Structure formats: C-alpha cells, structure tokens
C-alpha cells in the first residue's frame, strides 16, 4: 500500500525521520514531559490532540480585543466576533470535502448529533429504526436511545445494531449491505462512525450512504475519529449529515467547539423541524430581534448560540497548521507510520496481544487498537514511563501515531517499551 519495505532495526526509523518532509511540524506542538523532563511519546491524538504552540497567540489577540473594545469587539475586533466562525469555514469545508455552505463549526459533538437527529430522524410506525454499530461510543448510544424514546418508540424494537461476526472484531462490508437490504424499509436513520472509536475500523462512507439511500433511509456519520485523520469527500459521497469534534486529530483543545455538515440537498429545507436559536436566524435580520425564526441557508441555519470565540481561536491555530501541511501529505505519512507500527508489532507476535484494527490500510486511519487481557495494567505502566496511549474497557489499548507530530522514532521506542513491559 505504502510501497515502503519496513525494517526492524532502529536505524530504519532514524532514516525515515531524516527524510520525512513533515517532520518539522513536530516542533510546532507542546509535548507533555516525562518525570525526567523529556518529551513523552504521545500516541493519544485519537483522544486529545496536542496543543499547537501558536494557540496562545491566537487566543491572546481575542483577549486583548475584548479588553480594549468590550462589546464593540463583535464588529470592531481585528477579526470581528460576529462572523468569526467563518474564518474556519473554508478550511473546514476542504478538510471534510464539502462545499462551504454545507459546514459550520458550532456547539459540541453530542449537541450537534441531537440537533441533526431532531431534523433528520423522523420516525413513522413503518420506518422507525436507527441503525448503529454495536458498542458505538456511549454518548452516541445515549443520544440515539433518548431520541427513540423522545419520539415514543422503544430502543428494544427501534435500535438496530450492526455487529462483527462471532470471533471477529470488525464489521464486514457485506454484512452492512445485507442488513440495510433486509431491514432498510424499517430504518429511518443509519448513523455510523466514520471510524469506530474502539477498533479503529474505517467505514465505507460512500458505499453505506448509497446502500441506505437506495432503501430510502437518511444517512448520517459521527466523524469524531475521522475528521483530520482520513481524507473525506462528504459532498460527493452524499450522506445527509455528519458531526465531529475538534479536540482529537484537529487539536482544538479540550471541549473545543465541534463541526457539523449538512448536504446541500437540505440547504433550503425550511420545512424540516429543527431546534432553533438566534444564531441560526438569517443574519440579515438577526438584530431586528423579531419573533419569527427564519433560518440561514445551509448548515449555519442549525446554529443556536453565539459561539465561544476563545475556543474558535484555539481551533484556528491548529487548522492553519493543517492547511499548511495538507491532508493528502498527512495521509501519505499516516499510512506509512501506521503501517510501520503494525509491522513492528508483527515482529513481536505473541499470544499476549492481538491487533484488532483492520490490516487493510484503506480501512483504518492513524489508530491501532491492541487487545490485551490485562485490565489496563500495561497501559498504566507505560504512562508511568512517559508513553501515552489509552485504555478502553474491557480489553483495548489504543495508540495513534499522528502524522502531524509523531515520528518513526516514537513508534520504534513505543514498540520496544511495549514488548519489554509485556514480557
Ligand atoms: C465517537 C464519539 N462520539 C461522541 C463523543 C462525545 O463527544 P462530546 O463530548 O464532544 O459530545 C466522543 C468523544 O470522545 C466520541 O469519540
């Protein structure tokens, strides 16, 4: 896939780092330190991305404009706050392969998921099911269950779960298609992760969208683990909506404002029910303070509140770096770096662990999930020694070599320590 023949000795990692055109981006990020003051081996960008060193500069500009201008900052700040979120529109649209009108940065992921379901989950007695992956992230499970009961249905009969075959960890494409084919007439909404948070499996967004639409289902994706990780072409692939957070691969910082995409076929869907707020109201008349809600065209029409400028400022720092590095180059490095991690682990194959992430590089991003039956002990011990991955119950150790700031040396040293701790 990458065309690179990996080699086990450390000198291979050093040579790869020396010729990596993206290696210098590492210096643009703050690394947590070990007890002895060295950079941690940080492989946790799938959970919380590192802080770009420029974040404070972006935030300080807004703090200083707030100090100097007070309320006038809404229109007179160097970057006026009223349209501030639009500073992120073009970059966000490119990142997810959408048209600018199809995206907006707002709220947080689960809030956006609910807002999307208010509009796009329209159950009837014939078509009331929501199709999800079994073991999807808990917040998604709670959100879909609560939407089902909100509409007077029961999760027991309205929640349909896709599961891997017995003895397998990932869900097969043909099983997804078969289920959609078989149950499609009763499915109101297909809601899958772009990348499953536990296994790291990337789903075929285009194929699933096609299969769902053929059966008349609405199709949405939670891209928490896909945005900034995989190249996406949402407009062409055609799902009805998608939501994501910006604190993982997008490095926007803890609790950073999330993202939302609504396909332009719904741009003028004024008749769709939606939960409204003043920031979604047509900006031309927003400050007339009238009582009747007239939504903006496109994804912006789903906004509720004026957004946190400080959070958006932090996200801008990271998105500017993303823009400069380019998703295509990042993906090329990611394929190679993740392939290298998989290769090194395979050199130390042992019954004590197994990789559950798909081996097909097209079906995964930067994450490798390792099944270990040790109750998270090894993850804790590695963390004590400055190697940061994370543990997801019941048995999964997740590590993500992030192409923007991780090196081949990180991957090499991680595997050395991992193997040493296992034995
Ligand atoms: C797949 C997935 N969905 C939802 C969430 C919840 O996100 P938030 O707390 O931003 O709503 C997360 C958080 O990690 C996630 O990984």
């Amino acid at each position: 896939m990458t065309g690179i023949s990996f080699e086990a000795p450390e000198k291979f990692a050093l040579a790869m780092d020396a010729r990596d055109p993206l290696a210098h981006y590492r210096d643009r990020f703050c690394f947590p330190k070990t007890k002895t003051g060295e950079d941690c081996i940080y492989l946790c960008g799938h959970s919380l991305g590192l802080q770009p060193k420029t974040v404070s500069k972006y935030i300080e500009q807004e703090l200083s404009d707030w100090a100097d201008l007070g309320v006038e900052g809404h229109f007179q700040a160097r970057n006026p706050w009223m349209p501030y979120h639009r500073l992120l529109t073009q970059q966000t649209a490119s990142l997810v392969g959408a048209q600018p009108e199809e995206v907006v940065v707002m709220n947080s992921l689960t809030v956006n998921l609910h807002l999307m379901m208010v509009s796009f989950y329209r159950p009837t007695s014939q078509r009331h099911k929501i199709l999800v992956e079994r073991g999807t992230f808990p917040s998604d499970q709670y959100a879909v269950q609560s939407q089902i009961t909100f509409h007077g249905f029961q999760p027991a009969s309205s929640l349909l779960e896709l599961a891997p075959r017995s003895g397998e960890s990932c869900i097969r494409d043909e099983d997804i298609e078969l289920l959609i084919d078989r149950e499609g007439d009763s499915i109101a909404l297909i809601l899958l992760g772009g990348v499953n948070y536990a296994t790291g499996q990337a789903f075929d967004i285009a194929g699933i969208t096609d299969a769902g639409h053929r059966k008349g289902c609405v199709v949405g994706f939670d891209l928490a683990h896909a945005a900034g990780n995989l190249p996406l072409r949402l407009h062409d692939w055609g799902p009805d909506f998608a939501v994501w957070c910006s604190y993982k691969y997008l490095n926007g910082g803890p609790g950073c404002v999330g993202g939302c995409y609504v396909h332009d076929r719904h741009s003028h869907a004024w008749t769709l029910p939606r939960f409204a707020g003043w920031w979604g109201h047509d900006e031309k008349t927003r400050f007339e303070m009238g009582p009747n809600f007239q939504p903006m065209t496109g994804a912006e029409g789903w906004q509720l509140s004026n957004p946190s400028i400080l959070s958006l400022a932090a996200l801008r720092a990271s998105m500017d770096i993303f823009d400069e590095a380019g998703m295509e180059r990042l993906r090329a490095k990611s394929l190679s770096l993740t392939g290298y991690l998989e290769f090194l682990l395979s050199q130390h194959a042992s019954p004590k662990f197994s990789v559950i992430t798909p081996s097909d590089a097209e079906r995964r991003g930067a994450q490798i999930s390792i099944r270990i039956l040790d109750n998270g002990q090894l993850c804790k011990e590695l963390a004590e020694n400055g190697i940061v991955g994370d543990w997801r119950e019941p048995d999964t150790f997740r590590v993500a070599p992030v192409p923007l700031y991780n090196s081949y040396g990180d991957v090499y040293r991680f595997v050395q320590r991992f193997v040493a701790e296992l034995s």
Side-chain angles (χ1 to χ4, degrees), residues 68-98:
D68 294 343
L69 300 167
V71 70
E72 300 299 341
H74 283 300
F75 297 96
Q76 283 163 28
R78 279 163 281 179
N79 288 314
W81 303 327
M82 235 287 279
Y84 193 93
H85 61 282
R86 295 225 177 94
L87 295 172
L88 286 153
T89 301
Q90 188 54 56
Q91 289 172 339
T92 304
S94 311
L95 187 86
V96 299

Side-chain angles (χ1 to χ4, degrees), residues 46-47 108-111 113 136-140 193 195-197 222-225 244-245 247-248 255-256 392 398:
H46 58 278
S47 180
S108 52
L109 195 166
T110 311
V111 173
L113 193 53
T136 185
F137 193 82
S139 201
D140 300 43
V195 173
N196 179 272
Y197 86 101
D222 175 343
L223 301 177
H225 294 264
W244 59 95
C245 56
Y247 45 77
K248 299 179 186 295
C256 186
R392 285 292 172 264
R398 303 185 303 175

Side-chain angles (χ1 to χ4, degrees), residues 405-419:
Y405 49 71
N406 283 126
S407 63
Y408 291 83
D410 285 344
V411 170
Y412 179 82
R413 286 192 295 280
F414 160 69
V415 175
Q416 295 298 107
R417 290 309 298 258
F418 174 78
V419 172

Side-chain angles (χ1 to χ4, degrees), residues 287-353:
F287 287 91
E288 290 173 13
M289 305 307 207
N292 299 320
F293 178 68
Q294 176 55 45
M296 307 264 307
T297 306
E300 289 203 5
W302 273 267
Q303 294 173 106
L304 294 179
S305 307
N306 73 105
S308 160
I309 299 300
L310 301 183
S311 178
L312 291 175
L315 183 55
R316 285 188 61 220
S318 173
M319 291 296 283
D320 282 351
I321 300 176
F322 253 90
D323 217 32
E324 208 184 299
M327 201 55 219
E328 293 305 318
R329 289 200 303 163
L330 287 168
R331 175 61 173 161
K333 177 173 170 187
S334 178
L335 285 167
S336 161
L337 204 56
T338 305
Y340 178 54
L341 170 58
E342 183 187 41
F343 164 79
L344 287 184
L345 287 169
S346 74
Q347 300 291 295
H348 300 279
S350 143
K352 293 185 180 169
F353 75 89

